[in-house]
Amino acid sequence: MNVSAWVWLVSLAVLVVVLVVDLLIIGRRPHEPSIRESSTWTAVYIALAILFGLGLWAVAGAGPAGEFFTGYVTEKSLSVDNLFVFVIIMSRFAVPRVYQQKVLMIGIILALVMRGAFIAAGTALISQFSWVFYIFGAFLIYTAINLARQGEPDEDEFKENALIRWSRRALPISRDYHDGTMTTRENGRRLFTPMLIVMIAIGTTDLIFALDSIPAIFGITQEPYLVFTANVFALMGLRQLYFLLGGLLDRLVYLSYGLAAVLGFIGVKLVLEALADNHLGFINGGEPVGWAPHIPIWLSLSAILGTLAVATVASLIKSNRDRRRAVVKAGS
């Protein structure tokens, strides 16, 4: 794709407008969104992503549109997995529901900034070193194996990282959230509220997830504009999706295994493509490996959607069975 500077500028301007609207909604009336409000906004953001993809199809053709939709589905599913950790953080630090919108919005902004930086760095690396796909592929396969072993995180397994522990020790922290502000004054002394610690936890979580998601999207497309827009649309509406899913997150017991399969598939795809375009002297004498196929985008999209659908259906079946067993046990 030959994306002009003005297209980039318009896209960034639209992103800023959407973020400002979201911030105004939160700033005007901090509240816990209703199911109706959350579902409406979630549907709006999904519709915007679909319209954008169809616009790409009309302007640039089926190839870029397919890469965008595949990247969007992948990044959206990884973002849902991100919500599991957000739920744990909110619970661990006892964030009042009325302030959780603010935490999520700032978390999304941090995620956009971090992913933007990683996209720029990844694009620069790929343009200079084709062998970086071997590293991306190996990293995704390693991440997939770890995710499959660990399963979904729970609150008991959550451990505060070094930055959070240092902040607790070094900074004066109040006990209360004080209207969700970052600082407050008690007895004439300026203190940080627990909201700062929550933001640090969210920010470091965003950093970890960006390390997974950016190699994954580069396994689908190497076009920076598609990588960026797929990430932006995946993160849009994440705040509303958090409240819409609610208790459903607890029922997606096999989602981590589905995501592990997706990451593993993309990792293998990256390695195969690196072999097909090989220039490393110690592999096949520096020549491309003839048997290594390029996996078409339609097959990638089908595999990702199918895997996620199976994981979701299996999760709901298992959770329903577990609930029925719990009811029977309680009644006996």
Side-chain angles (χ1 to χ4, degrees), residues 6-83:
W6 74 267
V7 173
W8 273 102
L9 290 174
V10 169
S11 301
L12 291 172
V14 171
L15 169 62
V16 170
V17 169
V18 172
L19 290 176
V20 168
V21 169
D22 250 348
L23 288 171
L24 289 176
I25 291 173
I26 297 173
R28 181 190 62 189
R29 185 171 62 90
H31 65 291
E32 179 183 348
S34 64
I35 295 297
R36 180 178 179 181
E37 178 184 343
S38 298
S39 58
T40 299
W41 279 102
T42 299
V44 167
Y45 284 123
I46 292 175
L48 288 175
I50 293 173
L51 288 174
F52 180 83
L54 293 176
L56 273 176
W57 196 317
V59 174
E67 291 179 2
F68 168 77
F69 280 123
T70 306
Y72 170 72
V73 171
T74 301
E75 294 300 308
K76 196 70 173 180
S77 60
L78 290 171
S79 297
V80 172
D81 194 48
N82 203 351
L83 291 181

Side-chain angles (χ1 to χ4, degrees), residues 12-230:
L12 291 172
V14 171
L15 169 62
V16 170
V17 169
V18 172
L19 290 176
V20 168
V21 169
D22 250 348
L23 288 171
L24 289 176
I25 291 173
I26 297 173
R28 181 190 62 189
R29 185 171 62 90
H31 65 291
E32 179 183 348
S34 64
I35 295 297
R36 180 178 179 181
E37 178 184 343
S38 298
S39 58
T40 299
W41 279 102
T42 299
V44 167
Y45 284 123
I46 292 175
L48 288 175
I50 293 173
L51 288 174
F52 180 83
L54 293 176
L56 273 176
W57 196 317
V59 174
E67 291 179 2
F68 168 77
F69 280 123
T70 306
Y72 170 72
V73 171
T74 301
E75 294 300 308
K76 196 70 173 180
S77 60
L78 290 171
S79 297
V80 172
D81 194 48
N82 203 351
L83 291 181
F84 279 99
V85 182
F86 284 178
V87 168
I88 292 172
I89 291 173
M90 300 289 193
S91 175
R92 181 66 175 267
F93 294 101
V95 181
R97 295 282 288 183
V98 70
Y99 303 138
Q100 289 183 11
Q101 281 206 85
K102 180 178 180 180
V103 174
L104 291 167
M105 192 65 219
I106 295 177
I108 291 169
I109 294 174
L110 289 174
L112 285 169
V113 172
M114 291 179 186
R115 294 189 187 195
F118 278 112
I119 290 169
T123 302
L125 283 173
I126 291 170
S127 65
Q128 296 295 322
F129 311 105
S130 60
W131 48 261
V132 77
F133 284 127
Y134 286 112
I135 298 176
F136 282 179
F139 176 75
L140 289 178
I141 294 171
Y142 170 78
T143 302
I145 293 172
N146 281 342
L147 185 57
R149 285 177 175 175
Q150 296 171 2
E152 294 298 346
D154 57 44
E155 189 172 354
D156 294 333
E157 295 176 350
F158 178 79
K159 292 181 175 59
E160 296 181 0
N161 58 50
L163 183 57
I164 297 176
R165 294 195 300 271
W166 176 86
S167 301
R168 283 186 180 277
R169 292 194 308 268
L171 302 176
I173 307 293
S174 68
R175 292 181 176 272
D176 300 322
Y177 278 88
H178 294 282
D179 298 327
T181 57
M182 290 288 187
T183 62
T184 188
R185 187 175 292 277
E186 291 182 358
N187 300 323
R189 185 187 179 195
R190 177 65 64 178
L191 301 175
F192 293 101
T193 70
M195 186 66 76
L196 176 65
I197 305 299
V198 174
M199 294 304 177
I200 293 173
I202 293 290
T204 51
T205 298
D206 283 335
L207 177 61
I208 294 171
F209 274 90
L211 289 172
D212 294 338
S213 65
I214 297 306
I217 188 70
F218 274 118
I220 295 166
T221 177
Q222 288 83 58
E223 172 56 52
Y225 184 74
L226 296 180
V227 173
F228 176 74
T229 51

Side-chain angles (χ1 to χ4, degrees), residues 1 115-116 135 141 188 262 282 287-288:
M1 290 180 64
R115 294 189 187 195
I135 298 176
I141 294 171
V262 168
F282 60 87
E287 296 296 323

